[in-house]
Each structure stands twice: as structure tokens, then as C-alpha cells.
Amino acid sequence: MADKVSMLSRFQFAIDRGGTFTDVWARCPNNEIRVLKLLSEDPANYDDAPREGIRRILEEYTGKPCQADSLIDTSLIDWIRMGTTVATNALLERKGERMALVITKGFRDLLHIGNQSRPHIFDLKIVMPDKLYEEVVEVEERLVLQQDMCQINKSCQKVMGTTGEQLEVWQEVNVDKLKADLQELQRKGINSLAVVFMHSYTCDIHERRVGQLAKEMGFTHVSLSSDVMPMVRMVPRGFTACADAYLTPCIMRYVAGFSSGFTGGCQNTKVLFMQSDGGLTPVQKFNGSRAILSGPAGGVVGYAVTSYSAETGRAIIGFDMGGTSTDVSRYAGQFEHVFETTTAGVTIQAPQLDINTVAAGGGSMLFFRSGMFVVGPESAGAHPGPVCYKKGGPLTITDANLCLGRILPKFFPSIFGEKEDQPLDKHSTLQAFTKLTQEVNDFLSSQPGDAKKKSMTVEEVAMGFIRVANETMCRPIRALTEAKGHDTSRHLLACFGGAGGQHACAIARSLGMTRVFIHKYASILSAYGMALADVVHEAQEPCAKEYTSASFKYVDDRIKALSNECREELKSQGFQNHQIETQPFLHLRYQKTDCALMCSAEAFPAMSNSSSYGDFKAAFLNRYNTEFGFTLKDRAVIIDDIRVRGVGRSHAASDVSTKVATGDAKPRMVTKCFFEDGFHDTSVYHMDDITSGHVIKGPAIITDVNSTVLIEPTCTASITRQGDIEIVIGEGLHKSVGTELDAIQLSIFSHRFMSIAEQMGRVLQRTSISTNIKERLDFSCAMFGPDGGLVANAPHIPVHLGAMQETVQYQMRQLGDNFRKGDVILSNHPSAGGSHLPDLTVITPVFYEGEKRPVFFVASRGHHADIGGITPGSMPANSKSIEEEGAVFMSFKVVEEGVFMEEALIEKFMDPGKIPGSSGSRNLADNLSDLHAQIAANQRGIKLISELIDEYGLNVVQAYMAHIQNNAEVAVGDMLRQIAKDTRERTGTTKLHAFDFMDDGSKIALTVDIDEQKGTAVFDFSGTAFEVHGNCNAPRAVTLSGLIYCLRCMVGHDVPLNQGCLKPVHAIIPKGSILDPSEHAAVVGGNVLTSQRIVDVVLRAFSVCAASQGCMNNITFGDSNVGYYETVAGGAGAGPTWNGHSGIHSHMTNTRITDPEIVERRYPIVVRCFHLNPGTGGRGRHPGGDGVVREFLFRKDLTLSVLTERRVFRPYGLYGGEDGRSGLNLLLYADGRVVSLGGKNSVDVGPGDVFHLETPGGGGYGTSDEGEGSHTKENTVDTGPPRKKAFLKGSVHEYRMAQESS
């Protein structure tokens, strides 16, 4: 057989091994193209799907039998290119190699704690993915960065790091102890290690020593973090090394198994694997940390190469809709990469294509909750799958498309049912939708007004879920484009994947796009993308130099060296010089910021004052301005990393033209298909029957065995020369929307309102200047109705929930009719609805043509780093009045009829300096810039609201604002009825009581009286202590935020968080108490400490779970030149079905903690340890989570401030569970003295002094001898059956996670 195929015309295979299907694209001799799709797992018929696909095509083409169990002749094969989910699945399912973490002593739990934020802020049961490592070895070793400001004289060896940073060797590796520890790992059967030491990104001498010892001892795989990804920040670098040690052995085993089916083990065949960055790499260099997006990356390459035209420059949105989720990405001539992303709880530092996953796919489950249509995020998966799969699954989007006639069972194979031999079951789908439709109509008939008159048909309900799913998928696409300053409507939608073709027209129309492109290989585009991809080798190293003329020679030398490394590597793979391109990048950021951008100077040629490889600074400034709308004048630019991407051009594009049509396309049948205005006769075409030049007008369906494309009414599809489908989007069918409640429109408006708040947030983040807002994302944006009631709020920062509503309504009472177009109001005072003074709220009325009064309000609240007061950072530990905490704004028009009142504003910011011992704002320039950004964010909100009114009319938009608020009221009312029922069954009453204490003895008391019939409740805080002569007074708005947070947690699923949440709730908060203090009371501690106790008391009243740590552990240190602030994690409370999580933030805060390497790089301290404190969680049937231990060694004279709680009263346990241990703040003086600082203090520290922090543990639940679930009835949180959820990823998801951890 080998003789018949010449060496110049051998087979080429591109394969995507997915989770369910394996797709094969093959170029046969004489350029014939064949494609194949087969199950990834079919052990009864074959061991390996990619090898089986190759075998079948070889056998079919050559006509020679090739047995499934015989070796495949590699002389027939030119190359094999593959993407695989082997690494992804091993990571998601935690089925990787057994491995251990080897880490600097004192940091054994660093990767468990991570950034200390929880993934879902409203989940009382905090679920974190399992750790990758089984064991931890702490190594006695320590490198410390040398600092000019250090006042500790330590005699030790000095070494130079690769970044040019000097380091001090404070402790050499204790080899004897390490060897004994490694032998113990081997005894346990662990042979794979991940090694991560402090500052190894710049100095790897200790890691290399450990690596060498481990190899000598016989460990089979050792991942050094300094090798895997030498970037600063110990936590993500450690995660990346762990992922490598966990996944690479799995990949190597898979590769060995795959290769064993070929003659010579594929030694004489080029086998390349797709990496997460969209480049191919030789099989022997394919590793775990770069394999996570191996499959999806092929799809991005596929649509980028086939859809993008350099002549037009029209950017592409990739839309890959699968069963569980949808992947969205963007291409505009260059691949868009991210360099740190989190997958399945593991943060990985490696270049990855920016592929954003949305939890909406064909298998997304459908719910009708409290009058709202909800799609996902739960998915039916492949098993049991949708109702129509005949395996007892739930209703899904696939069922909705089947119900509407958009999926045709006769064109699907009979692979369903328990024996997998049945067709799709439309009858069962219709039965399930009939039942759901009855539920919808029962709800509508119970509503007042016109809603009860309007019942819905089965098809209308199914169509409603399709529309809601489409809007769900549109939101991240808007975010992906708007976030970087791009107009969504100017993009082309490139659709691929099995389910996307059914939704493409509607998605494009919603986003204002005019064209959709569907490649002829759309159903196997990831595989085809492998054939089109280039081979890539990257080289990267860290740097810490300023981008100035003094560093240009160093930068040029390093780029040259890294480029040579890439070239030599690609040459070793058989590429010639002319096939190799190298592209240098610098990872740049402004000094004293964390916002680094990976910049290429390709479009910015070298100048006299730049690197010889291009003007990287100009590239950085251009991109910064594009993404953020401004640049920072006279601010130094720092180089964090130098990177070179080497590319070996090798793609095998197939541009085979199809035959030209000689007549009109002939449909195979005409079917009834349901659209928004009812049923339409819809022509059905098969892909085999249409060819180049055919034009198909909608409504129509184009189908084949792998996919279905829906051409909606007013849209037109044409077949290109290559056989691809191009769709021109028509205007669509305009359906009038009235003011009466429509359950479908309710869900769509909910998405639209939230999208407005989200886009406001994007503008604020882009245009702000301070670290708090731009990088920590400590802000909220919201829209309000004409009565000042909250409509939508994003993001969901717990302490901001509902609080801005109080601010807006206060201004309405104060100003009355004194709102003018062009006015902007600034406020931060607690009596005016503020939380604490650093949170500045900017409010803008929204006027609409023909209306004299504001029709809506928009507002943005941002945390300003300093607004004056008695301490830097405006967070004093010992303030006694609000005037000591900074500048106060009650109702200040910062813009009056379009005029920015800068002079008066500056005067207000400097007012605190008139108080003895106090100062005006210490960073006025940032204050002014961030206020401009908040005003710009509000303007964006006004524009979007005006467009929404233009589209639907003012009456309709305001009506749905009220409907959405009513929906939240219904959801909370339903929850209160259920709680009342459970409480009455348990106690015989629906009255609940609870109290707890602040550490100074101030009591917070609560009585809850629930009306089971009405679904309402009174929360009465009578009996709560008076205002205190300190700063733990909580503004009324903070108390209401705590209530909303608790109610949302107990609902157990998403509800619109707006004014409606509090309508069933009447809050009685005594005036002059610690929860509603006087106008001049200090409040900074109330926002960050008392807010936690409010939550503790509410959850105690409902007996939902034991107390979490009940504190944010606010730590500040600094002097006149430097300042640092952090909050620190503790233990979470246990519940009836869960153990409390250890080392995590809980309830009213979710702030991320700064990486220890960054802390030591920027501040004059050494982080001595950061680990869990075992035994601090309360014991019980379900134990509480443990707190943490954190120590700072000070290297110079500084002032330390602590603002903490739960140092006296311990976090409570429930139902016999023990209390968590209280926290502890100690100062270990250099002279040996140990002093307790108490809960709140400010003290001077010197070089050699150590601050020792122990945070509180969480309370336990149930006595240790109880059986599982003894108190499950008391739990009001609906955990529900386990369901498959999409693992979200990409820059949009990372942004949302960062917002919710601000």
C-alpha cells in the first residue's frame, strides 16, 4: 500500500478530540478532502478515536483493509495535527497525576487560600475545586529582595536576579530535611512535583537545586515554576507549576498510547499538538499548562483564517455554541491573548486565546421562577440530555428549538433512548412544554391587571426561552467588544459548532450586526483550524527595568537572544529561515499600577528614542488610550516581561472552489416553523443540494448530518465560491411591546437593564485612574426609576446592594424640582445614604425629550483611595467623628447645567485640613480624574437608556422597570412563605429572634415576624445598642445592604436585586442606634465590621448556618511616602449539609489579597508566613472553616493600624456546633517583647518588629455525634440535585470575578 502513495502526496490529518465527538479533517493524495465525525469514547469498537478516524479514512481511500487492532503505516502520513481535551478533562474532573507541592516554608496553604475570594458571593455553601496536589513539602529556604529603604542590617550572601533585582539569601536550602521529606513522598507513591519558591521568577538557584535533587532521587516529573512561567506573582505561578505537574504526565501517557498504534511509534511522522495560544507545537514539547484550550483554540484559528479579510479590516466575533456552553472570541487581524486566566479554580499564567465561555448552550436547562423565564446556567449535559433524548432529562434549549420546528428529527441519526437506537422524541418535548406552559399561565392568571387576560401557547413559551437564551449570549459579546472600545455592530459574526446556526440570525440582529458567516466545515471548524495553524515556539523572561533610553540596549540584547532561541528551535523542527517569523513583545505597565499590557511594536517603527525593535512605548500609549480613553502624563513605564513569539509558517489551507449553480436551489421539503409572529412555511435544504451561487431567502433551514442553520424571515443566505454560507441580516419582524406584563419581555428587559449597568461599569473602569477603581474594581454602577427606586445594579458588591437607592432618594427629597439637564450630584455622607466617606457616589438625572422631570436616574459609586482625614487612606482605626474620616459631601452639584465646578470641589476636598491633626485629600489629582470617569460612566448609562426608550417608548420601559421590581418582590415573598412554613413546622411560630455583640459589648438585636400568607416580614432591630464613641457605627444604608444580601443568599437562585427585594420587608432601625447613627458619628468601622455582624444576626435568626469569621481584618501600614491596606480571610461558617471553608472571605466582603511577591517588591516588609490556622474552626457534625495566620516583618520605621472584630466574642456555632475561635493581633518587638494590640489600634513599629495576625474561625454546625443532615429542614437554601454547569473562562469572566471580589 505504501508504494502507491508517493512521498510528495501523503495524507495530512487535522483532528479535534472533543469531550463528546472527535472531528477529523483529512487531505488525501490529489488534494481530495474528507471529513469524519465519530464518538470520542466508544470502547466497544475502538481504543482511541483519533487513531480510529485516521484508520477509517486510509482504509476507505486506499481500498486496502486496515484492521482496528493493527498498526497504521506511518509512511502513508505526512503529518498529524491534533487538539485534545485530555488536559482540560483531567483538570475539570480532577483525574490528573498524583503530585506534591514543594514550597517555601511558611506558605504551605498559599495555593489553598489563593487570592482569598470566593467564586459565588451569594453561596453560603462555599464550594471550591479540589486542590491538585496531595501533599505539601515546606522547604527551609528564603530569598528576600534587597531594598534601599531597608533598615535591617543582615549579613548574608547577595545574588543578582535575571530582572536586575538584587536579592539577599536569608536562608539556604536545608537539603538534609528536604531529602527526608521527598523520600516520604516516594514512599506514598508520589512521583510528580511542582516547585514554587518566593522570588524564583527572578532567581531560580534554590528551585534548580531542588529540581536536581528530585531528579537524582528518581522523581519522574518535576515542574519548576521558574521554568514553566517565570512571571512575578507566586500564587498564579504556583498554580501554573501545579497544573503542569498534574497534567503533563497525563498528556504524555495519552500521546504514548496514541503513538503505539502506528508503526515506529510515530517517530518518522510529524505529530503536532495545538496549544492554548493558537499555535502548534511538537508532541514532545506539549505540556499541561499550555494545553487547557487545545481544542477551542483550533476553532478560533479556523474562523480567523477563513473569515477575516485584511482588505476590509472588518473584525470578527467567533460564536461557537455547544451543548453545555457557548464560546465567544474576537479577531481583528491579530489573535487576542490573555496571560492569566482561571479554569476550574486553577489560575494559570500562560498565553491563551481570549475565549470567553457563556453558560448557555443547547443543553441549558429552562426554568420559570417567580414569573421570570430563566435559561441555565445548569445544563442537562449529554447524559441524561434534553427531554427529547429519551433518557429522563429536563427541558432545554434543544427542546425549545425542536418544539418550534427548527430541529427536524428525520435529518438526525437514531442514536437516542436508553439503547441509543431511537430518533429524537418530539412528543415528549411537547408534553413537557405543555406542563410548563400551564405553570406560566397559572402565574399570569394570578397577576393583577391585563397580565391575567393574556395566556400563552406552548410555542410562545418555547420561543420566549429562545429569546432569553439569545439575550444571555449577547451580553458577553457586548462586554467583550465594548470593554476595549469597539463598536459591536461593526463586527461580522462567524458561527460554528453544532448548535450555533439555529441562533446566529437572531444574535446578529440583537447586536446590530448585518452579516453572518458560516464556513462549510463549521461543524468541524476546530479540526480544520489545526490544518490552518502555524507552529509556534515562545520564549519569555521577566524584567524589572523602566522603559528609558538607559534600558534600550538591554532590551534589544534580550529580544535578540530570545529571537535566536525561537529560530533555533523552529529550525530543529525542519523550518527554513524564510518560513520563520519572530515577533517581540514587552509586557508594560505604568509605575505604581498593576494594569500591564502585552505590547507589540509591529505598527510602531523604531525611532531615535526607542528600542531598535520598535517604539514599544508608543504602542503601549496607543493601546492604553484605546482601551481606557486616556494616558498618564509624566508617569514612568515599567517592563515586567520580555517575550518573543516565533512562528513557523506551515498552514495547509484548502481553497477548493465548489461547482457553480446552474439553477435555483431545490428544497427537500417544506415544514412549519414558529417565529415571533407565528408559524411560517419554511423551506428545508440539504447542504449536499446547494452550491456556489445559490441564494436562499428566509425563512429556511439548511441542514446536514452535523448541523442545522436557520435562515430567519427577512434574512438572505448565499453560497460562496468555496461553499460557505453568508447571511445578510434583515430588519426582522417588529413586534409591538405594550406596557402590560409579558413574562418573556420581563426576562429580556432584565438582561437589558443589567447590561446598561455593566456597560456603565466598563466605562468607569476604562476611564478611571486610581488602582482602587481601575484594577481592584471597587465600584458599582446602577440605574434607578423616576422615584429613585433601584432597577439594576452591577456588579453585586454586597456592601453596595441597595445602598445607592437611599442616596438617590435622599437627593430627590433635598432637591425636589431643582434638577436640571446637565446637573450631576456628588454625595458620600452616611445620612444621605452613603456607606463610608471614601465611597463617593455620583448621581445624574436622565431627561428625555418632552419630559420636564427626570425619567430615570443613573449613579456610580467608587472607592477613592484618599479623601483626607486623620490618617492616609481615610480608614482611621480610632476616629471619633465623621469629620476625622475625610471630606464630606451631603448634596453637592459637581456639575451644574453642564459646568464642572472644579474650584468649589477642590475646596471641599481640602476642608478636612482645617481640623487639627487632619489633612485634606492627599491625592487630589486622582480624586478629580476618577470623578470625571464616574461622570463619563453615567453619561454612557444615559445614552443607553435613551436608546432603549427610542426602541420601545418611555411608557414601556418604565412599565418594565416596575414589572422587574415587582418580580423581585414576588421572588422574596415566595422565599419568605417557605421560610415561614419551615419555621412554623419546627418551632410552632413564625417569629424569630437573634442577637450578637460587637467586641465593645454593643448589642445588635433582631426580631423577625413573618406573615406566611402575605409573604412579608418585619425586621425589627429594636433593642440594639446606642451609637458608639468610635467608628463602628453603621449607616442605615449599610444595614439595608446586609438585609438584601441575606435575603438573596436564602433565595438560593438569581433574582433581580432591586428595590423590589425590600418591598415585602419592613425594617425598623432605631434612630440614634449603632445601625442608624447621628449625622456626625464616625462610620468607617461600621462599613467594614458592623456590616458583618448584621449578617451574622440575620442568619442566626433564620438558623441558616453558623457564623463565619464576622470580620474583614483591616490592616494598614505606612508612612509619609508609602501606604498599604489589605483585608484578610478567615473561616466560613458550617451549615446543615456542608463544612465551613477555610481561609476565605465571607459575606459582606470578597476582596482579593495582594500576592506576597508584589507586597515584598513594593513595600518595606517581609511576609514571614501566610497559612491556615488548624483547629480554629468550631467543631461539629460539620466543622467551621479555619482562620489564617499571617506575619509581616517590618524593615523600617512605619505606623501600623488594625481595625478588626471578633477578638472578644467568638463566631457562633449552631445546633450544638462549637463556636469558632476568636482572632488575635500581636506585635512581636525586635527586643523580644510580645504585646497584644487588641481589636483596634494604631502603633509605631520599627525594623525587626513582627506583626502576627490570627483571623477568626467559622462556627460549627450540629454536634459531632449527629447523623448527616439532622438539621436539613432548618436550611432554607435550595441546594437542589447536582447538575452540570459550564466552566466559565475568558477575560469577560475574569472581569466579573474581579468585580465581585473588590
Side-chain angles (χ1 to χ4, degrees), residues 16-19 83-86 88 274-278 291-303 320 325-329 335 352-357 496 525-527 529-530 1289:
D16 174 33
R17 185 190 185 280
T84 176
T85 58
V86 168
T88 313
M274 176 63 78
Q275 300 182 108
S276 300
D277 64 357
I292 304 301
L293 300 183
S294 176
V300 176
V301 174
Y303 84 73
D320 177 8
S325 60
T326 296
D327 285 343
V328 173
S329 55
F335 292 117
Q352 300 185 29
L353 291 172
D354 188 10
I355 300 173
N356 293 269
T357 299
F496 56 106
L525 196 63
S526 289
M530 312 291 171
K1289 60 181 178 288

Side-chain angles (χ1 to χ4, degrees), residues 491-509:
H491 291 67
L492 173 77
L493 188 69
C495 181
F496 56 106
Q502 296 152 39
H503 298 259
C505 289
I507 295 275
R509 184 183 292 116

Side-chain angles (χ1 to χ4, degrees), residues 982-992 1215:
D982 293 342
T983 304
R984 181 173 44 75
E985 288 177 358
R986 186 178 73 246
T987 66
T989 180
T990 55
K991 258 195 174 179
L992 308 173
Y1215 294 106

Side-chain angles (χ1 to χ4, degrees), residues 312-390:
T312 64
R314 189 174 193 175
I316 314 290
I317 292 292
F319 180 73
D320 177 8
M321 186 176 178
T324 303
S325 60
T326 296
D327 285 343
V328 173
S329 55
R330 182 178 183 273
Y331 182 82
Q334 283 193 333
F335 292 117
E336 296 188 355
H337 290 105
V338 290
F339 295 87
E340 183 178 309
T341 189
T342 301
T343 301
V346 179
T347 303
I348 294 176
Q349 280 183 324
Q352 300 185 29
L353 291 172
D354 188 10
I355 300 173
N356 293 269
T357 299
V358 189
S364 289
M365 294 167 61
L366 312 181
F367 306 93
F368 184 72
R369 290 184 181 139
S370 304
M372 183 83 78
F373 279 59
V374 179
V375 176
E378 298 88 352
S379 172
H383 299 283
V387 169
C388 59
Y389 280 20
K390 302 182 75 169

